Structures are given as C-alpha cells and as structure tokens.
Amino acid sequence: MNKLLYIAFLLTWMTASSQDSLVVDTTTVAKIIFTEKDIQIDSLSMEARSFETTIKEKYKSDEFVYEQKVSKENWWSRFKEWLSDFFRRLFNFSSDDVSMKFVEVLIKVLAVLLIVFVIYLIVKAIMNGEGQWIFGKSSDKKVIHHEDVEKNIHLIDFEKLIKDTLKSGEKRLSIRYYYLWLLKKMAEKNIIEWDVEKTNTDYLYEIKEETFKTKFAYVSYLYNYSWYGEFELDEETFLKAKAAFEKTIHSI
C-alpha cells in the first residue's frame, strides 16, 4: 500500500515539472537603437603603392636560380673543343677563348674553300676540258670525251678524231667514229633524222634510195661486227672496212 502511494506521488511530481518547463517567458526585451553619432568613421589616410618595374632584374642572378640546366654538348661542339685544345697546345695560345676564336675562323675559311671547290666541280662537269660549254660554239681545238661523241656528232671533227685513234692503234674505236661520221653526213643531207636513241634498223627504214640503203646496210654490218661483237680486227680486215666507210661517206 505504501509502495503504491509512493509511485503515485512520483508520477504527479514528474507531470508538474514537465508543465513548468514548457512555460514561455513573455518578458519584453528592451531594443537598442544606434544613431549616426554612434558610427565611428576611419579618417586615416592611405598611400597607394605598386611593385617596382625592375623587380624581375633583381632575381635573375645565379644565386636565385634553383634549377641549373645541364648543357647538352653534341659531337660538333666536342670536335671544336678538341681542335681548340689541339691548336692551343700547338701555337701556345694565351687562353681557351683565343684558341676557340681561331678554330671558328679556320672552320669558316675551310667552309668557303669547300663551297668554291664544289662550284668548280659543277662548272667543270658542265664545261669540257678546254673551258668552253659543250653545246656552245665550236673552236679550232676541240676536246670531247668518247662518251660524249655520240651525243654531239654535229660538233665533232671526225677526220681529226679518226687520225688520233689510228695513231694510238685503236682500230675498233676508229670504225665506231667512221660510223658516227656517216650518220652525221646523212643527217646533214636530210637522208635520216638523227636521234641518239635510234638503231641501225631505224635509220635503214628512213633511207629512200635503194642503192644507198644497200651500202648503209653493209657498213652497218661491219660496224656491228667490230664494235658490238668486240672482235679484234687484223690489218687487212680493217683496211677493207675503212675503205667501205670512206667510199660511202664521200658518195653522199
């Protein structure tokens, strides 16, 4: 019985306490109003400042460079350094700078000489051994290499060329020059139209006169036999071929 009264009293007290905590304090809080007199204005003067324009220059010295770049030398730089060291020891130059300047001047001079030499070779290739243009005006003294004779038959003095080859005993080459001489004469008389790419057969078809066509066919056979067949001609065979070519050439 006493326990029940105690529990009822405890419940009643807890209910009353919870109701007191929910009571709202309606006391009015006084408002604080500020006027212009209460506002404090900052009257301190301010100075405008800017960065110096030369500030970057102050930090360009080596002591402010934290990442050092490793120079990459190529073979050309190493070669010049080797030459510089060689000439410094050879001529006892006062410093490495003097030796390097000497090397640079020397390289430039050699480069100019090399260019001049290349130009000389080009001019020499374009011009013949007598110092005139291959396709220029012919002179009394003409020297044209064997490989250029066929390309320039209209510029060649074949009589003189044949005499020179006979003096040196070159019979096969003489027969070749006789054949080219014959083509030159035929082209001058408009019997054929000369072209370095044409064959004996091509020229044979161009000849209209049957008698001359027979003569040309015979000397063409002699030429093919001696030149392309690479047969050495004895004196008797050569004289017969020589006579046949000269007779055909002078008959034009």
Side-chain angles (χ1 to χ4, degrees):
M1 184 65 179
N2 291 333
K3 290 182 179 181
L4 292 176
L5 290 174
Y6 177 76
I7 292 171
F9 173 77
L10 182 60
L11 290 175
T12 302
W13 178 80
M14 290 177 62
T15 303
S17 297
S18 61
Q19 289 178 353
D20 291 339
S21 62
L22 294 177
V23 176
V24 178
D25 187 4
T26 58
T27 305
T28 303
V29 179
K31 294 182 179 180
I32 300 174
I33 299 175
F34 293 94
T35 62
E36 293 182 0
K37 296 179 179 181
D38 299 320
I39 300 175
Q40 295 181 357
I41 300 175
D42 188 359
S43 60
L44 297 176
S45 60
M46 299 182 65
E47 180 184 356
R49 306 185 66 179
S50 60
F51 289 103
E52 297 179 7
T53 57
T54 60
I55 190 171
K56 291 183 179 180
E57 303 297 327
K58 294 182 178 180
Y59 299 98
K60 284 187 176 181
S61 59
D62 294 339
E63 60 183 0
F64 293 103
V65 178
Y66 301 105
E67 294 182 1
Q68 297 292 340
K69 294 183 179 179
V70 180
S71 59
K72 296 181 179 179
E73 293 186 351
N74 52 24
W75 66 270
W76 180 246
S77 299
R78 292 193 295 271
F79 175 70
K80 289 197 298 183
E81 289 179 358
W82 177 81
L83 283 179
S84 175
D85 183 65
F86 172 78
F87 286 117
R88 183 178 57 80
R89 288 185 278 107
L90 181 64
F91 298 112
N92 294 322
F93 287 123
S94 58
S95 64
D96 291 339
D97 292 337
V98 175
S99 179
M100 181 59 72
K101 288 180 180 179
F102 173 80
V103 170
E104 291 177 352
V105 172
L106 178 63
I107 291 175
K108 291 179 180 178
V109 172
L110 292 177
V112 172
L113 293 177
L114 179 61
I115 293 173
V116 172
F117 179 68
V118 171
I119 294 175
Y120 165 75
L121 293 179
I122 294 174
V123 173
K124 186 178 180 181
I126 297 175
M127 302 173 68
N128 64 13
E130 293 298 315
Q132 70 171 47
W133 298 102
I134 291 178
F135 299 103
K137 185 178 180 181
S138 60
S139 62
D140 295 335
K141 186 178 180 181
K142 187 182 299 297
V143 177
I144 298 183
H145 299 291
H146 297 317
E147 59 270 15
D148 296 325
V149 172
E150 187 174 356
K151 299 178 181 179
N152 305 278
I153 63 172
H154 298 292
L155 304 177
I156 306 300
D157 183 356
F158 282 103
E159 289 186 86
K160 181 179 182 305
L161 197 59
I162 291 171
K163 288 180 182 179
D164 293 338
T165 55
L166 289 178
K167 288 180 182 179
S168 60
E170 299 175 276
K171 294 184 176 65
R172 288 181 61 250
L173 188 58
S174 297
I175 295 299
R176 174 173 171 78
Y177 288 157
Y178 269 117
Y179 174 74
L180 294 176
W181 187 13
L182 175 59
L183 293 181
K184 175 184 176 181
K185 298 287 288 185
M186 292 168 63
E188 291 175 349
K189 297 298 182 178
N190 296 321
I191 298 174
I192 62 170
E193 185 177 346
W194 179 82
D195 191 322
V196 69
E197 299 295 334
K198 287 184 178 180
T199 64
N200 298 345
T201 305
D202 294 330
Y203 292 128
L204 190 63
Y205 285 141
E206 294 182 24
I207 300 173
K208 305 300 181 184
E209 187 181 346
E210 291 298 329
T211 303
F212 189 78
K213 180 179 289 189
T214 303
K215 293 179 182 180
F216 180 78
Y218 176 66
V219 293
S220 295
Y221 164 76
L222 295 176
Y223 167 67
N224 290 335
Y225 176 82
S226 63
W227 184 252
Y228 292 108
E230 298 183 359
F231 295 105
E232 292 298 332
L233 301 176
D234 55 33
E235 189 66 21
E236 182 180 356
T237 304
F238 172 73
L239 291 176
K240 288 181 179 180
K242 177 176 176 293
F245 271 105
E246 290 180 347
K247 183 178 179 180
T248 305
I249 290 171
H250 294 305
S251 67
I252 298 176

